[in-house]
Amino acid sequence: MAEDKRIYLIGLTQLKGIGDMLARQLLHYFDNEAQEVFAAKKQTLEKIPGIGAVKAEAIMQSKAEALRNAAKELAFVEKKKLRLFSITDEDYPVRLCECLDAPVVFYYTGSADLNVQRVLSIVGTRSATDYGEKLTGLLLKELSEMFSGLLVVSGLAYGIDICAHRSAVKFGLPTVGVLAHGLDRLYPSSHRKTAIEMLEQGGGLLTDFVSGTVPGRENFLQRNRLIAGLSDATIVVESAEKGGALVTADIALSYGREVYTFPGRVSDRYSEGCNRLIHTNKAGLITSARDLVEALNWDLKGRKQASQQPCLAFANELPRSPVLDVIAEKKQIQINELSLLLDIPVHQLSPVLFELELAGYIRAIPGGAYRLNF
């Protein structure tokens, strides 16, 4: 990719008020030529679905600063010899490409192939018990004996996350940590030794945050979508009634991915979330690697090594989305009914619908209902 194009692609992510979905919409409108977004006049931008006058003005006001920030970030990428993945690249992770809110660009260091045949994300509480740690270790030991090339994805956080990474390293599996900050730092710093071991053993670290970004609370929620999106399935080992692992599970479900969890005693605090996932049919119950392999049908077939055309922004008129699938089937549907059918709480569904409406795929109609916009 030519340097100038990389600057414009990074610049898209730095525009005020433009998230990943609208950035992809802009790319689609301009045939994946990011520089055309910055060259466009306000009148042109206003006509793009999801943009309008207010956002067009915000783009015009922020594009100079966005390009300055992008040039600075590209210099950092080159200095640190990082890999910049763009959604227009042929080797952009195929699983992530399927997600409606996949990042336009993300930053990567390491040698793990993100398009290998089998990828699992393993998440859980930051206050892991001996039970949870033993389950994680045993699961990865058994999986390593079945699939030597399995890629393990997690968030490098305390508890189950770091246990998953360390177990993967111990049993010879490549593992990738998804960070909630830029690649100019590592949080928590106490996990630096493990991160180095991950890189030495063919793993990696990735983020869609630029350098200088600190690990704020909201960033952890944003990075969870990458953990879910990079994987074939998400495994929740331990979780309290509320927690980031459950958010990751919900995101995975919204992507149409599989979720599995280990049951625990009803009196154990860090089994409450897992037992609830099973009770509400959000997650399949597993007790061993064999259960997981059978549930994913990995004994009989595996996902072929990804070979794809570039992940062109919205190359098909309707991107893959369970939300869009249901709306298309029902013609029009009220948000509460949609929430029940998808088993996604209204408060989590509302921002998804808002983004889809901004991107021009759906339209709100009276009575809190939605229909496709074409």
Side-chain angles (χ1 to χ4, degrees), residues 1-11 32-35:
M1 189 192 310
E3 179 177 321
D4 59 338
K5 290 191 176 183
R6 289 189 293 170
I7 288 177
Y8 289 114
L9 283 162
I10 297 172
N32 293 293
E33 297 295 337
Q35 60 268 36

Side-chain angles (χ1 to χ4, degrees), residues 203-223:
L205 301 172
L206 69 80
T207 183
D208 63 337
F209 293 104
V210 296
S211 59
T213 304
V214 298
R217 175 179 171 80
E218 65 281 0
N219 294 359
F220 289 97
L221 297 177
Q222 182 173 328
R223 72 93 191 265

Side-chain angles (χ1 to χ4, degrees), residues 19-297:
D20 286 308
M21 291 180 65
L22 284 180
R24 292 179 71 178
Q25 183 77 347
L26 287 166
L27 274 175
H28 178 59
Y29 186 87
F30 290 105
D31 296 325
N32 293 293
E33 297 295 337
Q35 60 268 36
E36 295 298 323
V37 177
F38 293 87
K41 295 181 179 180
K42 181 182 176 183
Q43 294 90 330
T44 301
L45 295 172
E46 288 178 350
K47 299 175 184 177
I48 300 173
I51 301 299
V54 174
K55 290 192 179 295
E57 179 62 27
I59 291 172
M60 299 301 293
Q61 293 294 327
S62 64
K63 65 181 181 180
E65 181 181 1
L67 289 177
R68 286 194 296 270
N69 292 339
K72 179 181 177 182
E73 188 62 18
L74 182 58
F76 172 79
V77 166
E78 293 182 336
K79 179 181 178 180
K80 297 297 182 180
K81 295 181 172 57
L82 305 178
R83 170 69 197 275
L84 174 67
F85 275 90
S86 158
I87 204 160
T88 59
D89 292 342
E90 290 186 8
D91 56 353
Y92 188 92
V94 64
R95 297 167 179 85
L96 192 58
C97 179
E98 297 169 349
C99 304
L100 193 62
D101 55 354
V104 170
V105 297
F106 68 87
Y107 310 94
Y108 179 66
T109 181
S111 55
D113 182 356
L114 303 177
N115 280 320
V116 292
Q117 190 174 8
R118 298 177 178 89
V119 186
L120 287 179
S121 62
I122 299 179
V123 295
T125 177
R126 296 185 178 216
S127 303
T129 67
D130 288 342
Y131 170 74
E133 291 181 352
K134 288 177 180 177
L135 282 177
T136 304
L138 182 59
L139 174 68
L140 288 174
K141 178 179 184 296
E142 293 176 346
L143 286 172
S144 70
E145 294 167 353
M146 301 176 190
F147 310 108
S148 59
L150 172 71
L151 178 62
V152 177
V153 177
S154 196
L156 207 73
Y158 292 109
I160 295 300
D161 285 24
I162 195 63
C163 181
H165 291 306
R166 287 171 177 163
S167 296
V169 169
K170 178 179 179 181
F171 298 116
L173 295 174
T175 180
V176 168
V178 184
L179 308 179
H181 50 77
L183 281 171
D184 58 329
R185 66 194 70 212
L186 188 73
Y187 177 85
S189 58
S190 58
H191 293 168
R192 181 172 298 277
K193 180 176 182 292
T194 299
I196 292 172
E197 291 173 347
M198 290 162 59
L199 292 171
E200 290 175 343
Q201 190 170 288
L205 301 172
L206 69 80
T207 183
D208 63 337
F209 293 104
V210 296
S211 59
T213 304
V214 298
R217 175 179 171 80
E218 65 281 0
N219 294 359
F220 289 97
L221 297 177
Q222 182 173 328
R223 72 93 191 265
N224 288 350
R225 84 191 198 286
L226 299 186
I227 295 175
L230 286 163
S231 309
D232 295 310
T234 294
I235 315 302
V236 182
V237 177
E238 278 191 309
S239 176
E241 188 176 8
K242 296 181 180 179
L246 299 184
V247 173
T248 306
D250 279 339
I251 295 171
L253 290 170
S254 77
Y255 292 157
R257 305 292 167 79
E258 301 289 335
V259 176
Y260 298 95
T261 191
F262 290 95
R265 293 183 301 188
V266 295
S267 59
D268 289 352
R269 177 185 176 188
Y270 293 109
S271 290
E272 288 179 358
C274 298
N275 291 340
R276 174 60 58 179
L277 285 173
I278 296 168
H279 179 71
T280 55
N281 294 316
K282 286 187 173 183
L285 185 157
I286 58 171
T287 60
S288 67
R290 176 56 59 185
D291 288 347
L292 178 63
V293 168
E294 291 177 354
L296 290 171
N297 207 19

